[in-house]
Amino acid sequence: MTDAQETAADSSLRTTGGAPPDDVETAPIPLLEPREGIPPVIADEAALAQVVAAFAAGTGPVAVDAERASGYRYGQRAYLVQLRREGAGSALIDPVACPDLSGFGAAIEDAEWVLHAATQDLPCLREIGMVPSELFDTELAGRLAGFPRVGLGAMVENVLGYVLEKGHSAVDWSTRPLPEPWLRYAALDVELLVDLRDALEKELDRQGKLDWAHQEFDAIASAPPAPPRKDPWRRTSGMHKVRRRRQMAVVRELWTARDRVAQRRDVSPGKVLGDTAIVEAALALPPNVHTLSGLPGFGHRMGRRQLEQWQAAVDRAKELPDAELPQPGQQMAGPPPPRAWADKDPAAAARLSAARAAVSTLAEALNMPQENLITPDTVRRVCWEPPSVVDAESVGAALSSHGARRWQVEQVTPVLVAALASR
C-alpha cells in the first residue's frame, strides 16, 4: 500500500487497503453515497446568489466538474456544472438557465480548483465565465504518479476505496428536466474529488514528483484557448480514401453545409449526415438526386428536400474552377511523418530511433507514460532539426522552445544529448 493509500485509510473514508490473507473474507467495496443527498439544481438567479455566497464563505479547494452533450448537441457547451467545497457542500447548476457564472468564478477565484481531466472541461467552463487561476488535475496527477488506470471511477476505487455509480457519462445532458439518477451520478463526481486530490498530493510528494505536477497544472491554467482548427473538413472520417481534388471539394462543401444545418438545429453534425455518407458522395460524384439517394447514408428515410440540399453541395463542388479546388495535402508545420524519415533523412531517422528508446527507458524508470514525460511531437522536432552543437544547454533550450516544462527539460535533456550525440 502506498503512503497516500495509508493516509486515506487513516481518514474516515473506507479504503480497499492491501490484499487480505487467504483465510480472511473480503468485504465488498461500498458504493459511494452522497453525504448530504442530491442537491437541488440551481436554475434561477436568486438561488444562484445564495450558492455563490455559500461557496465564497467555504474553505479549502473547490471540486469542479461539468457535463456536456457530446454526440447529441452542436458544440461542447456545458449543460450541468457540479461543485463542492468544505463548508458549502455540493451544488448542481444549470448553465442553460444561468448562462453567466462569472460571478461564481470570481467568488472562488482565489481557491484551488480540483478537476479530473481538466483540459476537457476548461473550454466549456470558460464559455460561461469560470476560469481558474490555480488548479489540481487528479487525472494528470494519477498519470504522473504511475497509476495504470486513471479514470475517475478507477482512481476513487483504488485510492479511496469507494465505487462510483456508472452508466450515465454518455447520456444527453441537455435533457430537461434531468432525471434523478443522472443528478445523483453528477453529484457523486465531485463528492470525493478533494479527498482524491489530497491522497494524490501525498503520493506525488512521496515520489518526489509534486513540483513536477504543479508545473503541469500551472501550464494548463495559464494556457490560452485553443485556436480554431484549420480546414476542419479534412478530419472527416474516411478522408484517406479521397484522392482527387474535385472529390476533396465535395467533402468540403458537404461538410460545410452539414455544419451550418447542425449549428442551426443545435444537434451533433453526425446526426445530420454521417461522415461515411460524405465520403461516399465524394467518391461517386453523383449527377443527380436519384443517384445520390442510392448511396450509403442517403437512404429512403431521407426526404426529398434534404437530398436536394446535399446534391446542391455536390454540384457546387463540381462547378468550381480548378484554381479553387483544395490542395491534396494540408500544409503541416514541423517535420514530416516519421515513416518518411528513412527516405528523406536517414540520419534523422536514426536520431529519432535512439531518442525514442532513451525516452521510453527513462519513462519506465520514472513510472509514468512517455507522453507525460515529454510529448512525442517535441522529440520529433528536436530530432529532425537538432542544435548545431549538441550539449545540455542547446538541447535544453530546444526543448523549452517547444513548450517543455522545466522539470521535463531537467529529466529529458541528459538522455536526448546522449541519443543525439551518438548519431
Side-chain angles (χ1 to χ4, degrees), residues 108-132:
I108 58 174
E109 183 179 14
D110 295 335
E112 178 189 76
W113 295 21
V114 184
L115 301 99
H116 192 81
T119 54
Q120 295 183 20
D121 287 341
L122 287 178
C124 70
L125 290 170
R126 185 180 287 113
E127 287 182 1
I128 54 179
M130 298 187 67
V131 182

PDB file of all heavy atoms in Angstrom, residues 108-132:
ATOM      1  N   ILE A 108     -14.832  32.225  -6.193  1.00  0.00           N
ATOM      2  CA  ILE A 108     -13.887  31.161  -5.815  1.00  0.00           C
ATOM      3  C   ILE A 108     -12.568  31.311  -6.560  1.00  0.00           C
ATOM      4  O   ILE A 108     -11.783  30.369  -6.649  1.00  0.00           O
ATOM      5  CB  ILE A 108     -14.497  29.765  -6.090  1.00  0.00           C
ATOM      6  CG1 ILE A 108     -14.880  29.610  -7.565  1.00  0.00           C
ATOM      7  CG2 ILE A 108     -15.718  29.532  -5.200  1.00  0.00           C
ATOM      8  CD1 ILE A 108     -15.352  28.211  -7.936  1.00  0.00           C
ATOM      9  N   GLU A 109     -12.315  32.503  -7.054  1.00  0.00           N
ATOM     10  CA  GLU A 109     -11.132  32.745  -7.890  1.00  0.00           C
ATOM     11  C   GLU A 109      -9.828  32.432  -7.158  1.00  0.00           C
ATOM     12  O   GLU A 109      -8.875  31.919  -7.749  1.00  0.00           O
ATOM     13  CB  GLU A 109     -11.124  34.201  -8.355  1.00  0.00           C
ATOM     14  CG  GLU A 109      -9.978  34.548  -9.288  1.00  0.00           C
ATOM     15  CD  GLU A 109     -10.031  35.992  -9.740  1.00  0.00           C
ATOM     16  OE1 GLU A 109     -10.772  36.789  -9.139  1.00  0.00           O
ATOM     17  OE2 GLU A 109      -9.321  36.323 -10.705  1.00  0.00           O
ATOM     18  N   ASP A 110      -9.778  32.759  -5.868  1.00  0.00           N
ATOM     19  CA  ASP A 110      -8.532  32.570  -5.116  1.00  0.00           C
ATOM     20  C   ASP A 110      -8.336  31.134  -4.628  1.00  0.00           C
ATOM     21  O   ASP A 110      -7.270  30.805  -4.108  1.00  0.00           O
ATOM     22  CB  ASP A 110      -8.498  33.522  -3.912  1.00  0.00           C
ATOM     23  CG  ASP A 110      -8.442  34.984  -4.344  1.00  0.00           C
ATOM     24  OD1 ASP A 110      -7.960  35.244  -5.459  1.00  0.00           O
ATOM     25  OD2 ASP A 110      -8.892  35.847  -3.574  1.00  0.00           O
ATOM     26  N   ALA A 111      -9.343  30.305  -4.781  1.00  0.00           N
ATOM     27  CA  ALA A 111      -9.242  28.916  -4.326  1.00  0.00           C
ATOM     28  C   ALA A 111      -8.611  28.045  -5.407  1.00  0.00           C
ATOM     29  O   ALA A 111      -8.675  28.356  -6.598  1.00  0.00           O
ATOM     30  CB  ALA A 111     -10.618  28.370  -3.965  1.00  0.00           C
ATOM     31  N   GLU A 112      -8.024  26.948  -4.979  1.00  0.00           N
ATOM     32  CA  GLU A 112      -7.554  25.945  -5.932  1.00  0.00           C
ATOM     33  C   GLU A 112      -8.752  25.152  -6.434  1.00  0.00           C
ATOM     34  O   GLU A 112      -9.567  24.688  -5.639  1.00  0.00           O
ATOM     35  CB  GLU A 112      -6.559  25.017  -5.247  1.00  0.00           C
ATOM     36  CG  GLU A 112      -6.044  23.908  -6.159  1.00  0.00           C
ATOM     37  CD  GLU A 112      -5.231  22.876  -5.399  1.00  0.00           C
ATOM     38  OE1 GLU A 112      -5.840  22.036  -4.689  1.00  0.00           O
ATOM     39  OE2 GLU A 112      -3.996  22.906  -5.494  1.00  0.00           O
ATOM     40  N   TRP A 113      -8.868  25.015  -7.765  1.00  0.00           N
ATOM     41  CA  TRP A 113      -9.940  24.226  -8.352  1.00  0.00           C
ATOM     42  C   TRP A 113      -9.411  22.823  -8.603  1.00  0.00           C
ATOM     43  O   TRP A 113      -8.319  22.644  -9.143  1.00  0.00           O
ATOM     44  CB  TRP A 113     -10.406  24.822  -9.674  1.00  0.00           C
ATOM     45  CG  TRP A 113     -11.046  26.177  -9.556  1.00  0.00           C
ATOM     46  CD1 TRP A 113     -10.912  27.082  -8.527  1.00  0.00           C
ATOM     47  CD2 TRP A 113     -11.899  26.805 -10.515  1.00  0.00           C
ATOM     48  NE1 TRP A 113     -11.624  28.214  -8.788  1.00  0.00           N
ATOM     49  CE2 TRP A 113     -12.245  28.070  -9.997  1.00  0.00           C
ATOM     50  CE3 TRP A 113     -12.404  26.418 -11.744  1.00  0.00           C
ATOM     51  CZ2 TRP A 113     -13.080  28.955 -10.687  1.00  0.00           C
ATOM     52  CZ3 TRP A 113     -13.224  27.289 -12.438  1.00  0.00           C
ATOM     53  CH2 TRP A 113     -13.566  28.540 -11.910  1.00  0.00           C
ATOM     54  N   VAL A 114     -10.199  21.831  -8.217  1.00  0.00           N
ATOM     55  CA  VAL A 114      -9.820  20.436  -8.418  1.00  0.00           C
ATOM     56  C   VAL A 114     -10.711  19.860  -9.512  1.00  0.00           C
ATOM     57  O   VAL A 114     -11.935  19.817  -9.370  1.00  0.00           O
ATOM     58  CB  VAL A 114      -9.961  19.615  -7.124  1.00  0.00           C
ATOM     59  CG1 VAL A 114      -9.468  18.188  -7.349  1.00  0.00           C
ATOM     60  CG2 VAL A 114      -9.195  20.276  -5.979  1.00  0.00           C
ATOM     61  N   LEU A 115     -10.105  19.434 -10.609  1.00  0.00           N
ATOM     62  CA  LEU A 115     -10.836  18.847 -11.725  1.00  0.00           C
ATOM     63  C   LEU A 115     -10.195  17.521 -12.099  1.00  0.00           C
ATOM     64  O   LEU A 115      -9.015  17.294 -11.814  1.00  0.00           O
ATOM     65  CB  LEU A 115     -10.831  19.767 -12.957  1.00  0.00           C
ATOM     66  CG  LEU A 115     -11.431  21.157 -12.797  1.00  0.00           C
ATOM     67  CD1 LEU A 115     -10.343  22.186 -12.568  1.00  0.00           C
ATOM     68  CD2 LEU A 115     -12.242  21.548 -14.038  1.00  0.00           C
ATOM     69  N   HIS A 116     -10.954  16.673 -12.747  1.00  0.00           N
ATOM     70  CA  HIS A 116     -10.427  15.418 -13.281  1.00  0.00           C
ATOM     71  C   HIS A 116     -10.414  15.538 -14.799  1.00  0.00           C
ATOM     72  O   HIS A 116     -11.458  15.725 -15.418  1.00  0.00           O
ATOM     73  CB  HIS A 116     -11.294  14.238 -12.845  1.00  0.00           C
ATOM     74  CG  HIS A 116     -10.655  12.914 -13.106  1.00  0.00           C
ATOM     75  ND1 HIS A 116      -9.700  12.367 -12.265  1.00  0.00           N
ATOM     76  CD2 HIS A 116     -10.794  12.023 -14.128  1.00  0.00           C
ATOM     77  CE1 HIS A 116      -9.302  11.209 -12.738  1.00  0.00           C
ATOM     78  NE2 HIS A 116      -9.948  10.978 -13.878  1.00  0.00           N
ATOM     79  N   ALA A 117      -9.221  15.453 -15.411  1.00  0.00           N
ATOM     80  CA  ALA A 117      -9.049  15.699 -16.849  1.00  0.00           C
ATOM     81  C   ALA A 117      -9.472  17.127 -17.164  1.00  0.00           C
ATOM     82  O   ALA A 117     -10.422  17.371 -17.910  1.00  0.00           O
ATOM     83  CB  ALA A 117      -9.826  14.685 -17.687  1.00  0.00           C
ATOM     84  N   ALA A 118      -8.739  18.075 -16.603  1.00  0.00           N
ATOM     85  CA  ALA A 118      -9.120  19.493 -16.653  1.00  0.00           C
ATOM     86  C   ALA A 118      -9.249  20.025 -18.073  1.00  0.00           C
ATOM     87  O   ALA A 118     -10.138  20.834 -18.356  1.00  0.00           O
ATOM     88  CB  ALA A 118      -8.102  20.324 -15.872  1.00  0.00           C
ATOM     89  N   THR A 119      -8.386  19.583 -18.988  1.00  0.00           N
ATOM     90  CA  THR A 119      -8.422  20.148 -20.332  1.00  0.00           C
ATOM     91  C   THR A 119      -9.721  19.842 -21.061  1.00  0.00           C
ATOM     92  O   THR A 119     -10.067  20.525 -22.026  1.00  0.00           O
ATOM     93  CB  THR A 119      -7.233  19.630 -21.170  1.00  0.00           C
ATOM     94  OG1 THR A 119      -7.224  18.189 -21.146  1.00  0.00           O
ATOM     95  CG2 THR A 119      -5.916  20.143 -20.601  1.00  0.00           C
ATOM     96  N   GLN A 120     -10.464  18.829 -20.618  1.00  0.00           N
ATOM     97  CA  GLN A 120     -11.743  18.520 -21.245  1.00  0.00           C
ATOM     98  C   GLN A 120     -12.834  19.499 -20.813  1.00  0.00           C
ATOM     99  O   GLN A 120     -13.709  19.847 -21.603  1.00  0.00           O
ATOM    100  CB  GLN A 120     -12.166  17.092 -20.901  1.00  0.00           C
ATOM    101  CG  GLN A 120     -11.260  16.020 -21.462  1.00  0.00           C
ATOM    102  CD  GLN A 120     -11.757  14.621 -21.150  1.00  0.00           C
ATOM    103  OE1 GLN A 120     -12.933  14.411 -20.851  1.00  0.00           O
ATOM    104  NE2 GLN A 120     -10.873  13.638 -21.213  1.00  0.00           N
ATOM    105  N   ASP A 121     -12.780  19.928 -19.547  1.00  0.00           N
ATOM    106  CA  ASP A 121     -13.852  20.775 -19.015  1.00  0.00           C
ATOM    107  C   ASP A 121     -13.559  22.269 -19.087  1.00  0.00           C
ATOM    108  O   ASP A 121     -14.494  23.078 -19.110  1.00  0.00           O
ATOM    109  CB  ASP A 121     -14.130  20.404 -17.555  1.00  0.00           C
ATOM    110  CG  ASP A 121     -14.852  19.073 -17.427  1.00  0.00           C
ATOM    111  OD1 ASP A 121     -15.451  18.624 -18.422  1.00  0.00           O
ATOM    112  OD2 ASP A 121     -14.811  18.478 -16.333  1.00  0.00           O
ATOM    113  N   LEU A 122     -12.301  22.661 -19.100  1.00  0.00           N
ATOM    114  CA  LEU A 122     -11.977  24.086 -19.046  1.00  0.00           C
ATOM    115  C   LEU A 122     -12.567  24.896 -20.207  1.00  0.00           C
ATOM    116  O   LEU A 122     -13.031  26.012 -19.991  1.00  0.00           O
ATOM    117  CB  LEU A 122     -10.460  24.285 -18.972  1.00  0.00           C
ATOM    118  CG  LEU A 122      -9.822  23.922 -17.623  1.00  0.00           C
ATOM    119  CD1 LEU A 122      -8.311  24.118 -17.682  1.00  0.00           C
ATOM    120  CD2 LEU A 122     -10.419  24.757 -16.498  1.00  0.00           C
ATOM    121  N   PRO A 123     -12.576  24.390 -21.461  1.00  0.00           N
ATOM    122  CA  PRO A 123     -13.163  25.194 -22.541  1.00  0.00           C
ATOM    123  C   PRO A 123     -14.636  25.532 -22.312  1.00  0.00           C
ATOM    124  O   PRO A 123     -15.052  26.681 -22.507  1.00  0.00           O
ATOM    125  CB  PRO A 123     -12.975  24.316 -23.785  1.00  0.00           C
ATOM    126  CG  PRO A 123     -11.777  23.483 -23.470  1.00  0.00           C
ATOM    127  CD  PRO A 123     -11.897  23.186 -22.006  1.00  0.00           C
ATOM    128  N   CYS A 124     -15.438  24.554 -21.878  1.00  0.00           N
ATOM    129  CA  CYS A 124     -16.863  24.837 -21.681  1.00  0.00           C
ATOM    130  C   CYS A 124     -17.081  25.682 -20.421  1.00  0.00           C
ATOM    131  O   CYS A 124     -18.040  26.471 -20.353  1.00  0.00           O
ATOM    132  CB  CYS A 124     -17.694  23.558 -21.649  1.00  0.00           C
ATOM    133  SG  CYS A 124     -17.452  22.510 -20.194  1.00  0.00           S
ATOM    134  N   LEU A 125     -16.219  25.546 -19.424  1.00  0.00           N
ATOM    135  CA  LEU A 125     -16.324  26.395 -18.240  1.00  0.00           C
ATOM    136  C   LEU A 125     -15.949  27.837 -18.577  1.00  0.00           C
ATOM    137  O   LEU A 125     -16.576  28.788 -18.089  1.00  0.00           O
ATOM    138  CB  LEU A 125     -15.417  25.867 -17.129  1.00  0.00           C
ATOM    139  CG  LEU A 125     -15.848  24.549 -16.483  1.00  0.00           C
ATOM    140  CD1 LEU A 125     -14.747  24.013 -15.574  1.00  0.00           C
ATOM    141  CD2 LEU A 125     -17.152  24.733 -15.690  1.00  0.00           C
ATOM    142  N   ARG A 126     -14.946  27.993 -19.430  1.00  0.00           N
ATOM    143  CA  ARG A 126     -14.540  29.333 -19.846  1.00  0.00           C
ATOM    144  C   ARG A 126     -15.683  30.056 -20.554  1.00  0.00           C
ATOM    145  O   ARG A 126     -15.866  31.269 -20.390  1.00  0.00           O
ATOM    146  CB  ARG A 126     -13.301  29.244 -20.747  1.00  0.00           C
ATOM    147  CG  ARG A 126     -12.722  30.604 -21.134  1.00  0.00           C
ATOM    148  CD  ARG A 126     -11.502  30.456 -22.024  1.00  0.00           C
ATOM    149  NE  ARG A 126     -10.352  29.977 -21.270  1.00  0.00           N
ATOM    150  CZ  ARG A 126      -9.780  28.795 -21.441  1.00  0.00           C
ATOM    151  NH1 ARG A 126     -10.271  27.953 -22.338  1.00  0.00           N
ATOM    152  NH2 ARG A 126      -8.737  28.438 -20.729  1.00  0.00           N
ATOM    153  N   GLU A 127     -16.457  29.323 -21.341  1.00  0.00           N
ATOM    154  CA  GLU A 127     -17.571  29.929 -22.076  1.00  0.00           C
ATOM    155  C   GLU A 127     -18.608  30.557 -21.153  1.00  0.00           C
ATOM    156  O   GLU A 127     -19.302  31.499 -21.545  1.00  0.00           O
ATOM    157  CB  GLU A 127     -18.258  28.876 -22.956  1.00  0.00           C
ATOM    158  CG  GLU A 127     -17.461  28.463 -24.183  1.00  0.00           C
ATOM    159  CD  GLU A 127     -18.216  27.463 -25.035  1.00  0.00           C
ATOM    160  OE1 GLU A 127     -19.369  27.117 -24.662  1.00  0.00           O
ATOM    161  OE2 GLU A 127     -17.677  27.028 -26.059  1.00  0.00           O
ATOM    162  N   ILE A 128     -18.740  30.032 -19.935  1.00  0.00           N
ATOM    163  CA  ILE A 128     -19.751  30.562 -19.009  1.00  0.00           C
ATOM    164  C   ILE A 128     -19.121  31.416 -17.913  1.00  0.00           C
ATOM    165  O   ILE A 128     -19.761  31.733 -16.910  1.00  0.00           O
ATOM    166  CB  ILE A 128     -20.580  29.422 -18.383  1.00  0.00           C
ATOM    167  CG1 ILE A 128     -19.675  28.371 -17.732  1.00  0.00           C
ATOM    168  CG2 ILE A 128     -21.478  28.773 -19.440  1.00  0.00           C
ATOM    169  CD1 ILE A 128     -20.426  27.224 -17.080  1.00  0.00           C
ATOM    170  N   GLY A 129     -17.855  31.803 -18.126  1.00  0.00           N
ATOM    171  CA  GLY A 129     -17.226  32.765 -17.228  1.00  0.00           C
ATOM    172  C   GLY A 129     -16.475  32.193 -16.054  1.00  0.00           C
ATOM    173  O   GLY A 129     -16.160  32.927 -15.111  1.00  0.00           O
ATOM    174  N   MET A 130     -16.162  30.903 -16.088  1.00  0.00           N
ATOM    175  CA  MET A 130     -15.452  30.282 -14.977  1.00  0.00           C
ATOM    176  C   MET A 130     -14.042  29.887 -15.419  1.00  0.00           C
ATOM    177  O   MET A 130     -13.869  28.969 -16.220  1.00  0.00           O
ATOM    178  CB  MET A 130     -16.213  29.061 -14.463  1.00  0.00           C
ATOM    179  CG  MET A 130     -17.590  29.385 -13.905  1.00  0.00           C
ATOM    180  SD  MET A 130     -18.375  27.957 -13.122  1.00  0.00           S
ATOM    181  CE  MET A 130     -17.304  27.707 -11.697  1.00  0.00           C
ATOM    182  N   VAL A 131     -13.054  30.610 -14.887  1.00  0.00           N
ATOM    183  CA  VAL A 131     -11.665  30.389 -15.273  1.00  0.00           C
ATOM    184  C   VAL A 131     -10.817  30.315 -14.006  1.00  0.00           C
ATOM    185  O   VAL A 131     -10.756  31.277 -13.247  1.00  0.00           O
ATOM    186  CB  VAL A 131     -11.141  31.520 -16.173  1.00  0.00           C
ATOM    187  CG1 VAL A 131      -9.704  31.234 -16.604  1.00  0.00           C
ATOM    188  CG2 VAL A 131     -12.034  31.700 -17.392  1.00  0.00           C
ATOM    189  N   PRO A 132     -10.169  29.185 -13.739  1.00  0.00           N
ATOM    190  CA  PRO A 132      -9.365  29.068 -12.512  1.00  0.00           C
ATOM    191  C   PRO A 132      -8.031  29.779 -12.649  1.00  0.00           C
ATOM    192  O   PRO A 132      -7.455  29.872 -13.738  1.00  0.00           O
ATOM    193  CB  PRO A 132      -9.164  27.561 -12.378  1.00  0.00           C
ATOM    194  CG  PRO A 132      -9.157  27.071 -13.790  1.00  0.00           C
ATOM    195  CD  PRO A 132     -10.143  27.948 -14.538  1.00  0.00           C
TER     196      PRO A 132
END
